[in-house]
Amino acid sequence: MAEPGRPVRSQGSVGGGAGTWPVGRTASAGGFVPAGFGLWPSLVETLREWARAEAGAGRLFPWAPIAFGCGIAVYFAADHEPVLSVVAAVALTLGAVLLRRSRLFAPAIMIAAVVAGFAMATWKTARIDHIVLTKPLYSVSLSGFVETRDIRERTDRFVLRVTAMETPRGDIKLERVRLSVRKGTAPEVGSFVQLKARLMPPLSPLRPGSYDFSRDMFFQGIGASGFAMGAITVAAPPETGGIRLRYAAIMQGLRDTIDARIRATLDGDNRAIATALLTGRRDAITTPVNDAMFISGLGHVLSISGYHMAVVAGVVFFAVRALLALIPGLAGGFPIKKWSAAAALFAAAFYLLLSGAEVATQRSFFMTAVVLIAVMVDRRAITFRTLAVAALIVLAVAPEALVHPSFQMSFAATLGLVALVQIGMPNLFASPDHSATARIAMWGGREIAMLFMASMIAGLATTPYAAFHFHRVTPFGVLANLGAMPVVSALVMPAGLLGLLAAPFGLDRVFWWLMGIGIDWMVAVSRWVAALPGAVGHVGAFGTAPLIAASLGLILMGLLRTPLRWSGALVLFVAILWGLSVRQPDILIAGDGQSIAVRGSDGQLHLIRTNKDSFMLKEWLAADADPRDAGSGSLASDVSCDDSGCVTPLADGRLVALALHIDALADDCSRAALVVTARPAPPDCAAMVVDRPRLVSLGALALTRRGDGFAVQAVRARGADRPWSPATAGAGDFDGSLAPKTAAPRSKDATPAEADQQAED
């Protein structure tokens, strides 16, 4: 028997030697257990502890708007309009409430939120459903009320609520149309006008995966776009326009008055930017300045969002509180902080109405309102719950905002900033108070560090969405924000607010002048940063799947509190690799069949172009990460054209032909590998064909080589039918690929030779 404390020696060892089994290396009859096996239970237990901490009290609510948004995303991904499902959403919500004390409560409430988002989007579409134009109308007589007006750089634009409509054919009746007119000829908001116009269907995506402008117009109640033909006649309205129209006219008149007051002091881009910051009208900014602002990463300043709303509310809050504190007896005996918050809330609401209440502005207002209400009821203001409430309100009011880049970028940036406030600031301000750090803090070191971190985090959070929608990234955005935003915060926006307050008294001129000085500095910084080498990074188009993965990574990093948050960094890294590895198509075909981009042997796109659609060409080049502009001469290299059509080679030497006339089809079908035509192609064409029926059914196409044929991606899925993109009557059913046609075996000629015929005779 072994003595206590001594190792047990094995018996029967070879050579009579005895060895000791080390701890943790014991083997069982069932196999061998590797070293370190005891670490796995502790690792699993640690993961369980982290998961329990993430699922603790109060941690569920921030995930509710994410589930709600997932339901909306499922709705927009459908090919056909789903059945209204409000009843199912209500039933699931009630079921989740009944399970509130059960372990199933969390999954039940998340499922209910998904269904509720799906139902809300379905209900919103059914509520605003209207007719959308599917074919061009070339001479239409319209009468109606002007609801909105945009003053742009070259032309003006307005939305007409149609009361009467006469067309050469058919009895179609649209509710609203958006018309472009010569600059300076747009009628006043609220007026009743009569005119003739050419109308076109809402703009469809310019390539598969690009932004759907027709969906935006549908949710704005607009069924067609076009331009006015001839003079616009202002007439007496047959009926009143309603309260909403009177409100729109009042707000438009206020914006025009503010713009006129600014115009008296500022001009050019300074005037346009000042007007954009105060009223939301930014279409008058010239293209070079607009491009410089976005390339430098300062484009967010031009869109009224959380920053502007926070500045307005903050200036009013601190100004009112300071003034009230000067009155004896108020500071000590009355809640002047709550009164100041109420005044700031009123100012934010007025700013929302003045700026046109776009999606980003709505989100900003709701976020600001929740913060100010929290101050009034003595609750913590800046939390993830605040952001969640704002997201739920915006998505409930406008479910279509989910697929808009403004919403995505705004909430991504805000999520990063709230995480910074909740996690980063406590860690930063908890540093030891040494003499050196105290001196740095006294001279604004911490404020500069926070501004740097806020700019960096907001820029990184919005990068996936900027890359997806605009196909570019701004690596020097932090530098531009550090140089410009302090001036915008301390000079431009306060001067603008003081100018608004002083305008009724005629004392606003000096404030517009100060605002112009700050705008000059901001524009100078944006131009300098935009001119730096590598100031803009071009990113090729990638699908929605990598964007969804990137969004998941950002959400995990922002919402999780335990070290599990770093799983979000892993997901984000995978999404980046996924997006960068997406192969770009070899051929792009416009929806009207009039333009083709073909990737040649040099790896670049070569353009066959028969119209002057520069906007489409810019989108194609940006999506291909091509830095060339629409006027580059290299776009037409290797393209041969005549009156009948054009041809250009693929990288493998095969020809792609664009047939403009029916007479060219016979020759193109015999020589080209692929023929594109806006006409119906003959059924015996030997080449692969993209013709009018396919384009009408599927819209713009992207073709990727697969063997001798092509894989086809289309703007509209086969058989898709949505209210903003209705299926065309008689559209065919086409495959998702193109393959070379197999030549039919020719029948042998049975006629005997002439000599043989004579021999037989």
Side-chain angles (χ1 to χ4, degrees):
M1 186 174 180
E3 297 180 7
R6 292 195 176 187
V8 179
R9 301 183 180 275
S10 62
Q11 303 294 325
S13 298
V14 178
T20 303
W21 291 100
V23 178
R25 295 286 299 272
T26 56
S28 63
F32 178 74
V33 179
F37 180 72
L39 296 177
W40 289 103
S42 61
L43 177 60
V44 171
E45 183 59 30
T46 301
L47 293 176
R48 286 179 177 175
E49 290 179 1
W50 290 344
R52 283 193 293 268
E54 298 294 351
R59 300 294 299 143
L60 180 63
F61 183 72
W63 293 92
I66 297 172
F68 192 84
C70 289
I72 297 174
V74 171
Y75 165 80
F76 283 110
D79 291 335
H80 296 271
E81 197 62 20
V83 179
L84 195 64
S85 51
V86 175
V87 176
V90 173
L92 284 173
T93 303
L94 291 176
V97 172
L98 294 176
L99 293 172
R100 63 185 182 277
R101 298 189 181 278
S102 170
R103 291 184 177 180
L104 298 177
F105 174 72
I109 200 66
M110 290 297 106
I111 294 173
V114 171
V115 177
F118 186 87
M120 184 61 71
T122 308
W123 177 76
K124 174 69 179 291
T125 302
R127 182 170 60 85
I128 67 167
D129 191 28
H130 58 87
I131 297 175
V132 173
L133 189 66
T134 57
K135 294 181 179 180
L137 296 175
Y138 295 99
S139 181
V140 184
S141 297
L142 297 172
S143 300
F145 293 96
V146 178
E147 289 191 334
T148 64
R149 184 186 64 183
D150 294 327
I151 307 299
R152 303 191 295 172
E153 182 182 1
R154 295 183 179 179
T155 61
D156 294 343
R157 190 169 62 187
F158 66 93
V159 173
L160 185 72
R161 189 211 301 170
V162 179
T163 58
M165 179 175 177
E166 297 179 4
T167 62
R169 52 182 174 82
D171 57 351
I172 185 172
K173 175 63 167 60
L174 301 174
E175 293 185 10
R176 288 178 179 83
V177 297
R178 189 173 66 190
L179 301 173
S180 296
V181 296
R182 188 187 301 273
K183 189 170 181 62
T185 61
E188 296 292 332
V189 173
S191 59
F192 183 82
V193 298
Q194 298 172 342
L195 54 90
K196 284 188 175 294
R198 178 178 178 179
L199 299 180
M200 304 294 292
L203 183 63
S204 298
L206 301 175
R207 57 169 184 81
S210 68
Y211 193 74
D212 193 348
F213 298 96
S214 63
R215 182 181 56 212
D216 271 3
M217 294 182 67
F218 174 82
F219 282 98
Q220 295 172 22
I222 301 173
S225 61
F227 56 88
M229 301 171 61
I232 300 174
T233 304
V234 179
E239 58 187 16
T240 60
I243 297 177
R244 293 184 62 182
L245 187 63
R246 288 199 294 270
Y247 158 75
I250 292 172
M251 297 308 299
Q252 185 64 44
L254 183 58
R255 296 186 194 104
D256 291 342
T257 301
I258 293 172
D259 183 60
R261 297 295 300 174
I262 295 174
R263 191 190 299 269
T265 304
L266 304 177
D267 55 11
D269 286 307
N270 282 12
R271 191 269 304 175
I273 293 175
T275 300
L277 294 177
L278 297 178
T279 68
R281 296 193 329 197
R282 56 183 183 273
D283 294 324
I285 303 173
T286 59
T287 301
V289 171
N290 193 68
D291 289 343
M293 293 287 289
F294 279 92
I295 290 174
S296 65
L298 290 175
H300 65 92
V301 178
L302 302 179
S303 176
I304 296 178
S305 56
Y307 166 75
H308 306 77
M309 195 68 67
V311 171
V312 169
V315 169
V316 173
F317 177 84
F318 288 110
V320 172
R321 190 176 184 183
L323 291 175
L324 293 177
L326 295 177
I327 302 176
L330 284 182
F334 295 91
I336 62 172
K337 180 179 179 182
K338 297 181 180 181
W339 293 357
S340 303
L345 181 60
F346 176 81
F350 176 76
Y351 191 41
L352 171 71
L353 299 177
L354 179 65
S355 61
E358 294 185 354
V359 172
T361 317
Q362 292 179 28
R363 193 276 310 163
S364 307
F365 171 74
F366 292 132
M367 181 80 177
T368 304
V370 173
V371 170
L372 294 173
I373 292 172
V375 172
M376 288 188 279
V377 297
D378 297 321
R379 298 294 298 271
R380 191 176 180 184
I382 302 176
T383 64
F384 289 110
R385 285 175 171 267
T386 305
L387 180 62
V389 170
L392 282 174
I393 295 175
V394 172
L395 292 178
V397 173
E400 68 276 9
L402 180 75
V403 293
H404 198 279
S406 175
F407 175 90
Q408 297 168 3
M409 299 178 71
S410 180
F411 269 94
T414 308
L415 175 63
L417 294 176
V418 173
L420 174 63
V421 171
Q422 295 279 288
I423 302 171
M425 287 181 64
N427 293 334
L428 180 65
F429 293 153
S431 59
D433 192 13
H434 299 302
S435 58
T437 58
R439 286 196 298 270
I440 294 174
M442 183 180 300
W443 289 98
R446 286 180 176 176
E447 286 73 15
I448 295 175
M450 288 305 303
L451 179 61
F452 176 82
M453 293 176 62
S455 300
M456 181 179 65
I457 289 176
L460 292 176
T462 57
T463 293
Y465 307 99
F468 179 81
H469 292 287
F470 310 116
H471 315 295
R472 62 188 180 194
V473 295
T474 54
F476 299 141
V478 174
L479 183 63
N481 279 274
L482 285 175
M485 294 313 294
V487 175
V488 176
S489 302
L491 178 61
V492 175
M493 289 301 296
L497 293 177
L498 293 174
L500 291 178
L501 294 175
F505 307 99
L507 303 174
D508 54 329
R509 190 179 190 88
V510 64
F511 298 110
W512 305 137
W513 176 74
L514 290 172
M515 198 176 184
I517 293 176
I519 293 174
D520 280 333
W521 173 260
M522 181 179 66
V523 172
V525 171
S526 67
R527 289 182 181 274
W528 173 67
V529 173
L532 293 175
V536 56
H538 299 277
V539 181
F542 51 89
T544 56
L547 182 68
I548 293 173
S551 301
L552 176 60
L554 292 174
I555 291 170
L556 293 175
M557 293 178 66
L559 290 186
L560 298 184
R561 301 288 185 87
T562 66
L564 287 175
R565 76 166 67 98
W566 301 115
S567 63
L570 178 61
V571 175
L572 185 60
F573 179 72
V574 171
I576 293 173
L577 295 181
W578 190 357
L580 294 177
S581 65
V582 172
R583 178 184 174 184
Q584 299 304 315
D586 296 291
I587 301 175
L588 293 169
I589 303 174
D592 59 1
Q594 298 295 320
S595 299
I596 311 173
V598 179
R599 194 174 307 280
S601 57
D602 58 357
Q604 291 186 318
L605 293 176
H606 300 271
L607 185 68
I608 301 177
R609 184 182 184 189
T610 61
N611 57 30
K612 297 181 179 180
D613 192 348
S614 297
F615 181 66
M616 179 193 69
L617 180 55
K618 289 179 181 178
E619 168 64 20
W620 282 5
L621 293 175
D624 201 56
D626 194 329
R628 294 177 294 176
D629 57 30
S632 176
S634 61
L635 290 171
S637 63
D638 295 334
V639 177
S640 301
C641 294
D642 57 25
D643 294 338
S644 298
C646 301
V647 295
T648 189
L650 280 162
D652 58 5
R654 293 183 296 169
L655 296 178
V656 177
L658 173 62
L660 301 178
H661 300 291
I662 193 70
D663 301 336
L665 281 173
D667 189 37
D668 291 338
C669 286
S670 62
R671 297 188 178 187
L674 174 68
V675 174
V676 179
T677 177
R679 303 172 180 271
D684 59 347
C685 183
M688 294 175 281
V689 174
V690 173
D691 60 354
R692 180 181 179 83
R694 185 185 289 267
L695 292 172
V696 169
S697 177
L698 302 180
L701 303 176
L703 277 57
T704 305
R705 284 189 299 166
R706 189 170 63 186
D708 293 334
F710 297 94
V712 179
Q713 288 181 293
V715 163
R716 289 191 293 271
R718 187 172 63 177
D721 184 14
R722 301 306 301 268
W724 52 87
S725 181
T728 305
D733 197 9
F734 298 95
D735 294 332
S737 62
L738 288 171
K741 297 180 180 179
T742 304
R746 300 182 60 181
S747 301
K748 293 183 178 180
D749 189 356
T751 305
E754 184 177 353
D756 295 335
Q757 295 176 16
Q758 294 174 354
E760 291 292 336
D761 291 341

